[in-house]
Structures are given as structure tokens and as C-alpha cells.
Amino acid sequence: ETGVTQSPTHLIKTRGQQVTLRCSSQSGHNTVSWYQQALGQGPQFIFQYYREEENGRGNFPPRFSGLQFPNYSSELNVNALELDDSALYLCASSLETGAQTQYFGPGTRLLVL
Amino acid sequence: GESVGLHLPTLSVQEGDNSIINCAYSNSASDYFIWYKQESGKGPQFIIDIRSNMDKRQGQRVTVLLNKTVKHLSLQIAATQPGDSAVYFCAETGNAGNMLTFGGGTRLMVKP
């Protein structure tokens, strides 16, 4: 186990709703990255938070937003949910930003109906 | 954009045999590579990593080889076991170093 935890494990929402996913990083890790993994594909980078600031963003619209807290835990918020947002959302923590190993949590499975 | 890809989507091996999973990357500026194993319903699990100043690194039953000349990465698993059955992803860090770019994955199936 990596020590990275995510909640909830599963979630069902309807189109247009908003969702908040949560992640607790591994002890001592100050960097959290979020990824979206569609069924049968590799994870896609959404963004990274380092010391409570966004530190890089992938090709995702502004309705995907995040926060990092002083204890380095993080939230991913998605507004105006679309059917294509259905995916496994993965959180990964690392000791620092840059070329560091990222350790993944178990993910949150989101289904948008 | 630049991406990491894999040659074989599915690899089937006999228990006890060695497995080799290949990966091609296109970003010549990548300086850090990781192999992850993902079992059904779980997040990716770190297996082994390698930096661009190395061409080989060994772990327990696993070896990663990096050929920067042809931008190729491989994962070798010795004495493959049923518990090795999973999807394997290679990933690389680009110029910013803060995001991992993943390939599409290779499914490894181990036959008893």
C-alpha cells in the first residue's frame, strides 16, 4: 500500500451536477497530482498541487479545479458534469515536484448518468 | 502532443517464463521513466524507475532497460508468476517534470 487514500471509492452523479473528490497524500509528501483514467486507457494528467499552489495543468477545461490544504491533502472539483467525465480519478503524491516518483491511491470511480 | 506508447497491447506467457514488455517514447527531453502495474479495480502500483543517465536498472525479479538512441524502454520480469497478471504502463516525465505521460498499457496474462 502507498499510504495515499481517496474518498469516496465510488460515486454516481447526473449530468450537470458538481462533484468533489478527496485525497490524502502519503506522509511527508508535499505534492499531489490528479489523473483521469478512462476505461481501457492510461491515466491522463489533470493538474498538480505543490505547497498549496497549482503547479502545472493538463488539457482539461476550467470546470476541473482543485485545492491543496496545509496538511497537503487535496480536493478535485468538477462542475457541470458531462457523461464523458465518467472515469477513474486517481490521486498521486510525491515527495517533491519535478522528476519524482508518484505514488497512486486506489482511485474514485465516478459514473455520470 | 508527445506521448508514450506501447508495442503490444496483450502479452500471454507461461508461468515461470520471463516476460518482456516494451514501450516507445517520443519526447527526447524526457529524463525520468517509471513502470507501473495496475490490477483490476486498483490504482497504478510503482514497480521500478530509471533516469536518463542510466541504461539499466534492476529490482527484485524486474529489470528496466532504457535505450535513448531509439527512445525505447522495456520491462523484463523474471520467472513470471500468476500474481504478475495485470496491465503494465510505462510513464515518463516531460520538460516540466511535474506530470507523468502514460502510454495505453499492456495486459500481461500468465498461464498456469
Side-chain angles (χ1 to χ4, degrees):
Chain A
E1 299 300 324
T2 63
V4 179
T5 60
Q6 292 186 244
S7 63
T9 56
H10 296 83
L11 201 54
I12 300 175
K13 291 286 188 178
T14 56
R15 194 170 48 185
Q17 285 188 312
Q18 177 267 341
V19 68
T20 297
L21 310 181
R22 295 176 175 84
C23 170
S24 291
S25 61
Q26 185 173 336
S27 178
H29 286 189
N30 63 15
T31 303
V32 173
S33 303
W34 286 92
Y35 292 81
Q36 180 195 67
Q37 186 176 25
L39 200 60
Q41 298 182 22
Q44 298 289 316
F45 176 75
I46 303 175
F47 43 57
Q48 183 183 85
Y49 277 83
Y50 171 63
R51 295 184 178 178
E52 303 177 55
E53 297 285 335
E54 186 178 291
N55 181 46
R57 188 180 185 94
N59 189 26
F60 282 82
R63 59 189 185 85
F64 285 77
S65 63
L67 284 173
Q68 188 179 29
F69 300 99
N71 66 355
Y72 305 129
S73 66
S74 177
E75 287 183 353
L76 164 66
N77 300 288
V78 187
N79 294 322
L81 283 166
E82 301 177 359
L83 298 179
D84 286 347
D85 295 333
S86 296
L88 181 67
Y89 287 86
L90 295 161
C91 165
S93 76
S94 53
L95 191 60
E96 288 287 336
T97 187
Q100 299 282 337
T101 305
Q102 295 185 17
Y103 296 93
F104 284 83
T108 294
R109 175 72 63 187
L110 172 64
L111 178 61
V112 182
L113 301 176
Chain B
E2 309 222 53
S3 64
V4 176
L6 297 174
H7 296 308
L8 301 173
T10 302
L11 177 65
S12 184
V13 300
Q14 202 71 37
E15 181 179 358
D17 286 351
N18 296 334
S19 302
I20 299 176
I21 301 173
N22 296 302
C23 175
Y25 65 94
S26 57
N27 186 351
S28 55
S30 296
D31 60 359
Y32 182 55
F33 304 86
I34 308 175
W35 280 101
Y36 286 94
K37 170 187 179 184
Q38 188 172 27
E39 296 173 284
S40 181
K42 297 184 178 180
Q45 175 190 351
F46 170 85
I47 301 174
I48 192 168
D49 59 359
I50 189 167
R51 296 197 181 271
S52 58
N53 60 353
M54 304 172 67
D55 53 21
K56 181 179 180 179
R57 191 164 189 220
Q58 289 184 291
Q60 186 177 10
R61 280 200 310 117
V62 294
T63 300
V64 55
L65 299 177
L66 175 63
N67 185 330
K68 295 182 287 294
T69 302
V70 294
K71 291 186 284 189
H72 184 267
L73 192 68
S74 68
L75 176 70
Q76 300 178 0
I77 304 174
T80 312
Q81 303 170 357
D84 295 327
S85 294
V87 177
Y88 289 80
F89 293 98
C90 64
E92 52 97 1
T93 58
N95 295 331
N98 60 354
M99 59 174 280
L100 291 174
T101 301
F102 285 80
T106 292
R107 180 172 300 280
L108 176 65
M109 299 175 63
V110 182
K111 296 177 289 186

